[in-house]
Amino acid sequence: MSVFLCVAAGAVAFYIFIFYGVFRTKRCTSSVKLKGKTIVVTGSNTGIGKSTALDLAKRGARVILACRNSERAEAAVFDIRKESGNSQVVFMPMDLASFKSVRSFAETFLKTEPRLDILINNAGMMGPGRTGDGFGMAFGVNHLGHFLLTNLLLERLKQCSPSRVVTVSSLLHHLGRIDFSLLESTKDLVSGQSTWQNFQAYCNSKLCNVLFTRELANHLEGTGVTCFTLHPGVVYTELCRNISWWQQLLMIPIAKLFFLDTDGGSQTTLHCSLQDGIESFSGRYFSNCGVQHMGVKGRDDSLAKKLWEEVPAGCEKAKVTLGSIEK
């Protein structure tokens, strides 16, 4: 019996050490109120995005939920309004897997909303498939859709400066790589759709997020608009909803035990969106509510510049040049 108790105590101690020492994150300490501010949060009908939108609504912001699934988004609007007591929470449809949908969202937003103070590029996915424009799904949704959206809304952000662009990346950007020749030939950063390649595609897209933010900071210098990218922590969300059922079955027990809930996963996003005094870190990568070192490839300015300039140019057949994005 004593041996069993020792083993049980050791297991509990190990769990506490792992959870609180590795997985648990700090919380955003900003107490700023946001009445009169307008914030767009992509992918905010569930997960980290919904928790982020709820916190912002509680602070008095007008929050635009930019989501693909209208039924779930309307339900999220109801939930957030009810819990926050803020009626200024609205849904506007947008599918990041469709350039036409992103442009339609931006057109509607610019016609109907006079302000944009914070753009939070939160939506993300992992899994197989192609976007409506023929790109690999992870690359198209996680990077290209947000690249397009940010550029379309940039002038409004400048008009409302000081303002911010916050893009949710991942620690997995360290494993990412960018093969421009592969992108040109396949419209993707991986060559197939296997489980491993889908995982690699996600890592690649998260590296794109980091590089995009780095180069965006250069374009925004002196405008009053700052930008940040971040790792939200290891969070139990619906990110892997497109992987096979048996892989989800293996992941769920681990996720339940160790991963953060969505409120915990929203804290670094909120820190980057709200914290005073971090403007000088524009273009940097955050984790656990603080500036962190990014991977070597994530610090490559020439790679960031090439991704900004040559990826859109290399996708001319899909009309994704920066020029066409800005028209």
Side-chain angles (χ1 to χ4, degrees):
M1 188 66 176
S2 59
V3 173
F4 173 78
L5 290 174
C6 287
V7 171
V12 171
F14 177 74
Y15 172 77
I16 292 172
F17 171 75
I18 293 294
F19 182 76
Y20 287 93
V22 178
F23 289 97
R24 191 171 180 84
T25 62
K26 295 178 181 177
R27 298 190 64 82
C28 173
T29 58
S30 174
S31 59
V32 66
K33 299 300 180 184
L34 298 170
K35 190 169 183 178
K37 305 292 186 181
T38 298
I39 303 172
V40 170
V41 187
T42 68
S44 42
N45 62 352
T46 188
I48 298 171
K50 185 178 178 182
S51 291
T52 302
L54 174 60
D55 186 284
L56 299 170
K58 287 179 176 179
R59 295 169 187 264
R62 179 171 175 80
V63 185
I64 311 297
L65 309 189
C67 309
R68 176 180 58 86
N69 187 310
S70 58
E71 184 177 346
R72 297 182 72 179
E74 293 288 6
V77 167
F78 177 83
D79 292 343
I80 294 170
R81 284 182 176 181
K82 183 178 180 181
E83 190 168 344
S84 67
N86 182 350
S87 63
Q88 294 297 303
V89 180
V90 297
F91 160 58
M92 290 178 61
M94 183 182 67
D95 183 357
L96 285 162
S98 164
F99 296 138
K100 181 179 179 181
S101 178
V102 175
R103 290 192 179 97
S104 177
F105 170 89
E107 182 180 0
T108 301
F109 178 88
L110 293 172
K111 284 180 179 178
T112 60
E113 298 290 335
R115 296 195 61 84
L116 179 57
D117 299 276
I118 306 172
L119 169 62
I120 301 178
N121 294 321
N122 164 82
M125 64 81 59
M126 180 191 299
R130 292 273 171 176
T131 68
D133 303 281
F135 292 93
M137 189 64 79
F139 176 65
V141 170
N142 299 353
H143 173 59
L144 284 180
H146 284 132
F147 176 90
L148 172 55
L149 177 67
T150 303
N151 276 282
L152 289 171
L153 299 181
L154 217 47
E155 286 305 313
R156 183 59 50 83
L157 283 160
K158 291 176 182 177
Q159 291 165 10
C160 299
S161 64
S163 53
R164 296 183 183 184
V165 179
V166 178
T167 301
V168 178
S169 181
S170 169
L171 182 68
L172 291 173
H173 82 272
H174 288 272
L175 302 179
R177 57 177 182 266
I178 298 176
D179 185 334
F180 291 100
S181 61
L182 184 63
L183 179 61
E184 187 175 358
S185 61
T186 68
K187 297 174 74 172
D188 202 355
L189 293 174
V190 292
S191 58
Q193 300 274 304
S194 69
T195 299
W196 172 253
Q197 287 168 322
N198 290 331
F199 172 74
Q200 185 63 57
Y202 178 79
C203 299
N204 296 346
S205 70
K206 297 291 104 178
L207 174 60
C208 289
N209 292 156
V210 170
L211 292 169
F212 164 67
T213 300
R214 194 170 181 87
E215 181 63 16
L216 179 62
N218 293 331
H219 288 260
L220 293 175
E221 190 171 355
T223 66
V225 185
T226 50
C227 56
F228 311 95
T229 188
L230 64 104
H231 170 56
V234 184
V235 187
Y236 184 44
T237 70
E238 297 182 6
L239 175 67
C240 298
R241 60 187 175 271
N242 294 315
I243 65 176
S244 65
W245 66 269
W246 64 268
Q247 290 170 323
Q248 293 188 44
L249 197 62
L250 289 173
M251 182 176 292
I252 287 172
I254 299 172
K256 289 283 190 181
L257 280 171
F258 292 107
F259 292 5
L260 296 170
D261 61 17
T262 56
D263 176 66
S266 68
Q267 296 305 307
T268 302
T269 299
L270 293 168
H271 178 86
C272 290
S273 301
L274 307 175
Q275 188 64 43
D276 290 330
I278 64 171
E279 292 80 4
S280 61
F281 296 108
S282 184
R284 298 287 296 276
Y285 169 76
F286 284 68
S287 179
N288 203 20
C289 294
V291 180
Q292 302 290 329
H293 289 296
M294 56 188 78
V296 174
K297 283 173 281 190
R299 301 194 302 270
D300 189 332
D301 288 325
S302 62
L303 185 61
K305 187 176 181 64
K306 187 173 184 179
L307 179 68
W308 183 285
E309 295 179 348
E310 295 194 18
V311 167
C315 302
E316 279 185 319
K317 291 180 181 178
K319 299 180 180 178
V320 195
T321 62
L322 185 55
S324 69
I325 282 175
E326 292 175 336
K327 290 178 182 176

